[in-house]
Amino acid sequence: MRKYICFDIGGTKVKHGLLLANGSILSKGSFDTQGRNLDLFLKEMEDIIYMYTNNHNVSGVAISLPGFINPHTGYSERGGAVKALDNQNLKKLLKKRIWLPIEIENDGNCAALAEKISGNAKRCTDFICMTIGTGIGGGIFINGKLLHGHSFRGGEFGFMITQARNDGRDILHSNASTYALIKSYKKLKSISEYENIKGETVFLESSHNSSVKELLDDWIRNISYGIYNLAATLNPQKILIGGGVIAQQGLLGNINNKLDQIPGWKDIKVPVESCKYQNDAGMIGAMYHFIQKQGG
C-alpha cells in the first residue's frame, strides 16, 4: 500500500506523519511553527521529508494549510496564523527542494474531507465541519461536494461577527478560538502573554475557580453563536466540531446546552457532534486530497 508524508500546519505546531492510503498512521510527530521565518520554516519541512524518505518509499507529500489556499496551484493569498506564507506558493517553494509530488489544501477543508470519506460524515451529503484551534476554520459540503467559494474563502467561519461589541472581540477568531480562551485566561490571571499556557489548564481550573468557569462559559457561548448562525444559513444534516480541544470532557455537551438556551434553536436545530479524527483530521484529509488530485 502506498505511503504519504502528511503535514498539518497550524499557527502553533506543525504536525507531520507517515500515512497509508487507507488512512492508517504509521508514525507521527510535531515541531513548533516558525510562522514568520520562511527560510527556517521550509528547512524544517525539508528535514522532516528527508527523515521519512530515508527509511520509506513515499508516493508524495500532502499538506493541510491555514488561510486562503488555491488547491489547484498551491498559492496562499493569506497563510492564516503562518504569516511567512502570505502571498507565497508553498508547493512551488518545496518543489525546489524535493523531488516528490506535492498537493496542498486549506486545513478546514482537509478536516471536512477526512470526515466525509471515512469519518463521522460518511453518510452525509450536506454537512459542516468547524475546527477550533489557534483560529476558527472549517469546511462545507453541499450536495456531496466541497464548497471552496469564489476566491477560496469558503469555511472561513472565524471572520463571522457573532455579537456587536467594541472591545475587539467581535469575530469568532477573537472570541471562540483556543488562542482567545488562553489570552482571556492570561488577562484574568495577570499572566505574561509570553508564558506558555495550555488550554487544558483553563478547563482544569474552571472546576474550582468561579471566575475561570465564567470565562470558560462565555467562550463556549461564543462558539454556540457561530454554530447557530451556520445552522440557520445552510441547514446541514449535521455540524461536526473538530480540533484537539473538543476532546475535553464535557465540552461537546456544554456546547449543545448553550445552543439549547438560544431562542430559535429549536426551530433550526441540527445534530452537533464531534469529528472522528480530532487532531489527525488535517493530515488524513490532506492525504485524501492528494489522492483525489494525483489519482493515488
Side-chain angles (χ1 to χ4, degrees):
M1 189 175 291
R2 291 191 175 187
K3 299 174 184 177
Y4 302 89
I5 300 168
C6 300
F7 290 93
D8 182 13
I9 298 168
T12 305
K13 294 283 186 180
V14 175
K15 289 172 281 189
H16 57 85
L18 186 68
L19 276 66
L20 293 176
N22 64 3
S24 300
I25 300 174
L26 299 178
S27 64
K28 63 181 179 179
S30 67
F31 56 88
D32 292 339
T33 305
Q34 300 296 332
R36 296 185 179 275
N37 186 323
L38 182 59
D39 288 337
L40 185 55
F41 177 87
L42 293 171
K43 180 63 167 59
E44 291 194 327
M45 286 194 73
E46 181 184 9
D47 289 346
I48 293 297
I49 291 168
Y50 278 104
M51 177 191 76
Y52 285 121
T53 56
N54 283 340
N55 298 293
H56 299 274
N57 182 20
V58 176
S59 296
V61 176
I63 300 172
S64 163
L65 185 67
F68 308 150
I69 313 301
N70 183 328
H72 309 300
T73 66
Y75 176 75
S76 56
E77 185 177 339
R78 282 181 59 178
V82 189
K83 300 300 183 184
L85 292 176
D86 287 353
N87 299 306
Q88 297 288 346
N89 191 315
L90 181 57
K91 188 174 181 177
K92 289 183 177 179
L93 291 169
L94 283 175
K95 278 188 172 180
K96 295 177 181 178
R97 296 168 175 255
I98 66 171
W99 69 97
L100 291 166
I102 304 164
E103 294 294 347
I104 298 176
E105 174 61 288
N106 167 269
D107 54 358
N109 290 339
C110 285
L113 270 171
E115 295 301 318
K116 170 60 179 170
I117 293 175
S118 61
N120 289 339
K122 285 190 295 184
R123 295 177 177 84
C124 295
T125 57
D126 300 80
F127 74 95
I128 295 168
C129 178
M130 174 188 278
T131 56
I132 303 172
T134 305
I136 301 288
I140 303 167
F141 265 82
I142 302 292
N143 296 326
K145 295 182 179 180
L146 185 62
L147 177 70
H148 285 98
H150 174 68
S151 53
F152 309 107
R153 287 161 168 77
E156 291 293 339
F157 308 139
F159 288 97
M160 287 195 298
I161 296 176
T162 56
Q163 49 199 310
R165 302 193 298 192
N166 296 314
D167 61 0
R169 299 176 65 240
D170 293 339
I171 65 173
L172 284 184
H173 280 317
S174 301
N175 64 38
S177 63
T178 51
Y179 172 82
L181 175 64
I182 292 168
K183 183 177 180 180
S184 296
Y185 175 79
K186 287 179 176 180
K187 182 178 180 181
L188 175 70
K189 305 286 287 186
S190 299
I191 297 172
S192 167
E193 62 178 301
Y194 302 107
E195 187 169 336
N196 184 26
I197 299 290
K198 295 185 181 297
E200 291 91 334
T201 300
V202 185
F203 282 87
L204 286 171
E205 190 167 340
S206 70
S207 65
H208 59 269
N209 185 316
S210 59
S211 296
V212 176
K213 185 179 186 303
E214 183 178 348
L215 180 151
L216 185 61
D217 284 346
D218 186 48
W219 177 75
I220 294 171
R221 187 177 298 108
N222 292 334
I223 294 172
S224 73
Y225 291 160
I227 294 170
Y228 178 94
N229 290 341
L230 290 172
T233 303
L234 293 171
N235 183 220
Q237 290 165 270
K238 65 170 63 174
I239 296 176
L240 298 175
I241 312 299
V245 71
I246 201 64
Q248 289 293 325
Q249 186 175 6
L251 177 56
L252 185 65
N254 287 332
I255 291 172
N256 275 294
N257 288 339
K258 287 289 188 290
L259 283 165
D260 287 334
Q261 294 169 19
I262 301 175
W265 177 243
K266 65 182 183 300
D267 297 315
I268 61 169
K269 187 172 183 177
V270 301
V272 177
E273 304 170 0
S274 64
C275 289
K276 175 180 179 179
Y277 291 115
Q278 305 290 334
N279 265 338
D280 295 326
M283 290 193 298
I284 293 169
M287 184 192 67
Y288 287 147
H289 171 72
F290 182 100
I291 292 172
Q292 288 180 347
K293 295 286 287 183
Q294 295 276 339

